[in-house]
Amino acid sequence: MTVSVGLIGCGNISRAHVRGYRSVPDLATVTAVADLDPALAAERARQAGAAREFTAYTRMLDEAAVDAVDICLPHHLHAEAIIAAAEAGKHVLCEKPLCLTLDEADRIAAAVRAAGVTLMCAHNQLTLPAVARARAVIDSGVLGRVYELRTTDSFFNDFDPATMGWRAHAATSGGGELIDTGYHPTYLLLYLAAARPAAVTAMLSTHRLGFMEGEDSARVLVRFADGAVGEVVTSWAYEAAPFTEKFSLVGEHGSLWSDGQRLWHKPRGEAVVQTSFEAVDSVPAVCADFVRRIHSRSRPVHTHEEGTDVLKVILAAYRSAQDKREIAL
């Protein structure tokens, strides 16, 4: 069976999503697209290959025979679209963040449970082979007890007031850089830690993009229930310094680190082991993985449950920065 996918939101990121479904034509076909802007809907329909076009996703849910939807909307619109799709009996892939409040997350969980559908968070960096190998090394126990972890995602963002759109406003983005690009190193940190987050401390900064309502940079510390400490470093203000790792981890018996395409692992007192992987276009890859999960009826790596954990950490970080104190989870 080929999964029929309806795309909700036809902005820039949706181009990569369509590429993902077109990479697995035996598993999925984008048969419908929805966007308030008819020109965007038409553009994405052409890319998908003559998909039906809608200007309201509610009409698409009612009229198009889709098995699943892929949500690529601005952050503040995620929750209602997820709930509507679940109530219509559709499987859901949603771009990050899952939603903006814990009340929304509770409503999403209830809708997904009631409908019995699959909800997958599009945490695309988890498709990187270096990440999967790192998690396997950690789970093997060769590093022993994990002491500390760090994840980073920083780049020079050339947004300006004329081009930033809804991302410039806290009401529609949910905050600033942390809940946008910073969402990636946050879910990556939680995935590699494989432990429950227990407390959060954060410092937020606006170094360069002063026209934003939210921060353009963040540093977040997370203490996990097993005693490990994680750090997220993320920014739109600057390019990371040379040799900054994408993620790293130290444990009682050694360490590992990665630039995203290569992984280095060093047991204490032994030589460094380097592994290189083929490059992966992670956004299309996560879409292909989504339809494979539907076919196999297997649980996604990150569902709304993990998405809610990520949201809890980010919301606690915002509260920590505001109150200037550690926030217990």
Side-chain angles (χ1 to χ4, degrees):
M1 180 191 76
T2 301
V3 175
S4 177
V5 178
L7 185 66
I8 299 178
C10 298
N12 184 55
I13 192 63
S14 70
R15 294 184 175 92
H17 283 242
V18 172
R19 290 204 312 272
Y21 298 116
R22 298 202 70 172
S23 73
V24 285
D26 54 327
L27 299 180
T29 304
V30 176
T31 58
V33 300
D35 198 282
L36 286 173
D37 184 338
L40 281 178
E43 177 188 334
R44 208 59 59 240
R46 288 193 297 271
Q47 181 191 2
R52 289 184 66 186
E53 300 166 31
F54 295 87
T55 54
Y57 70 77
T58 51
R59 278 195 59 208
M60 185 184 80
L61 292 173
D62 288 339
E63 299 177 16
V66 296
D67 306 304
V69 299
D70 183 335
I71 297 171
C72 297
L73 294 169
H75 298 174
H76 67 298
L77 302 176
H78 287 185
E80 293 307 320
I82 292 170
I83 292 167
E87 290 177 345
K90 314 302 182 185
H91 301 295
V92 179
L93 177 70
C94 185
E95 263 294 342
K96 51 79 181 165
L98 174 69
C99 55
L100 296 186
T101 70
L102 295 183
D103 177 66
E104 288 181 340
D106 288 342
R107 292 170 54 217
I108 287 169
V112 170
R113 283 196 301 267
V117 296
T118 294
L119 191 161
M120 178 171 165
C121 292
H123 294 173
N124 53 289
Q125 292 186 8
L126 301 187
T127 67
L128 298 176
V131 171
R133 180 66 62 85
R135 178 63 185 265
V137 171
I138 296 164
D139 289 345
S140 75
V142 68
L143 297 177
R145 186 164 66 90
V146 174
Y147 292 158
E148 297 187 3
L149 314 89
R150 185 167 82 154
T151 55
T152 66
D153 200 332
S154 300
F155 64 96
F156 187 95
N157 194 320
D158 59 359
F159 278 144
D160 62 44
T163 61
M164 196 168 190
W166 59 267
R167 283 185 166 87
H169 307 289
T172 47
S173 71
E177 191 275 346
L178 177 59
I179 201 167
D180 199 301
T181 292
Y183 206 86
H184 293 295
T186 305
Y187 69 65
L188 183 55
L189 184 79
L190 268 58
Y191 178 71
L192 294 173
R196 301 295 301 175
V200 175
T201 306
M203 287 188 176
L204 309 181
S205 303
T206 299
H207 296 305
R208 187 172 55 84
L209 303 178
F211 56 85
M212 290 174 55
E213 289 182 1
E215 73 290 342
D216 69 14
S217 307
R219 287 180 178 256
V220 180
L221 292 177
V222 181
R223 186 175 297 279
F224 292 92
D226 63 0
V229 174
E231 180 184 17
V232 171
V233 180
T234 186
S235 181
W236 281 339
Y238 57 81
E239 291 183 3
F243 310 111
T244 299
E245 79 280 17
K246 188 172 188 63
F247 63 85
S248 60
L249 180 148
V250 292
E252 60 180 325
H253 300 314
S255 60
L256 60 77
W257 62 100
S258 175
D259 60 5
Q261 191 164 335
R262 294 168 294 177
L263 179 70
W264 292 268
H265 165 220
K266 187 183 185 306
R268 191 177 64 248
E270 299 181 24
V272 174
V273 178
Q274 176 182 328
T275 308
S276 297
F277 304 92
E278 290 187 8
V280 169
D281 192 350
S282 63
V283 174
V286 84
C287 299
D289 184 55
F290 172 55
V291 292
R292 291 190 185 101
R293 301 283 177 171
I294 294 173
H295 277 276
S296 65
R297 299 183 180 181
S298 59
R299 186 188 190 278
V301 177
H302 276 187
T303 69
H304 60 284
E305 295 176 358
E306 289 80 9
T308 300
D309 283 345
V310 178
L311 181 65
K312 286 179 179 178
V313 169
I314 288 175
L315 293 180
Y318 282 131
R319 186 176 171 195
S320 170
Q322 178 179 328
D323 296 352
K324 296 180 173 58
R325 65 183 179 91
E326 180 178 278
I327 304 297
L329 297 181

